[in-house]
Amino acid sequence: QVQLVESGGGLVEAGGSLRLSCAASISILSFNAMAWYRQAPGTQRELVARITSGGSTNYADSVKGRFTISRDTAKNTVYLQMNSLEPEDTAVYYCNAWRYSTAYWGQGTQVTVSS
């Protein structure tokens, strides 16, 4: 059974940094892609950053230049380094992975940025 477990969320002041981790129960290279999404109260879940099995990355315009997605294949873990955080980044952040036609989700981790 595929499991994704996020960690690293918390409360930070505007301008600060956090690093989120997503640990997978299987080799992350078996996924077609992995991604981070976020959902703020009253809004739809949105894509933040994505990394393919080949290592290509893409980002939402709102986080370009501030967030970086990376992975450690030996640890089966994907990271989201978040710098220059803004109050608008406050949301629950979810790890996502695609394998064949199936999507997997983590339980989410709360990120709160105070002004």
Side-chain angles (χ1 to χ4, degrees), residues 13-108:
E13 292 185 350
S17 299
L18 283 174
R19 188 178 79 158
L20 306 183
S21 300
C22 172
S25 59
I26 64 172
S27 170
I28 61 174
L29 293 178
S30 67
F31 296 121
N32 303 105
M34 296 188 72
W36 287 95
Y37 285 73
R38 66 186 181 188
Q39 187 169 21
T43 69
Q44 290 188 330
R45 195 171 295 188
E46 64 173 356
L47 176 67
V48 175
R50 181 174 175 267
I51 185 166
T52 69
S53 57
S56 298
T57 60
N58 62 281
Y59 298 89
D61 288 342
S62 59
V63 306
K64 281 181 182 176
R66 299 189 298 123
F67 290 12
T68 302
I69 188 169
S70 63
R71 64 186 182 184
D72 185 331
T73 56
K75 295 182 178 180
N76 291 324
T77 300
V78 171
Y79 303 98
L80 184 68
Q81 177 66 45
M82 305 185 294
N83 299 327
S84 302
L85 283 161
E86 303 168 353
E88 293 73 22
D89 296 316
T90 295
V92 178
Y93 283 70
Y94 296 92
C95 181
N96 163 268
W98 280 92
R99 187 164 182 254
Y100 304 115
S101 300
T102 302
Y104 300 93
W105 293 92
Q107 81 285 356

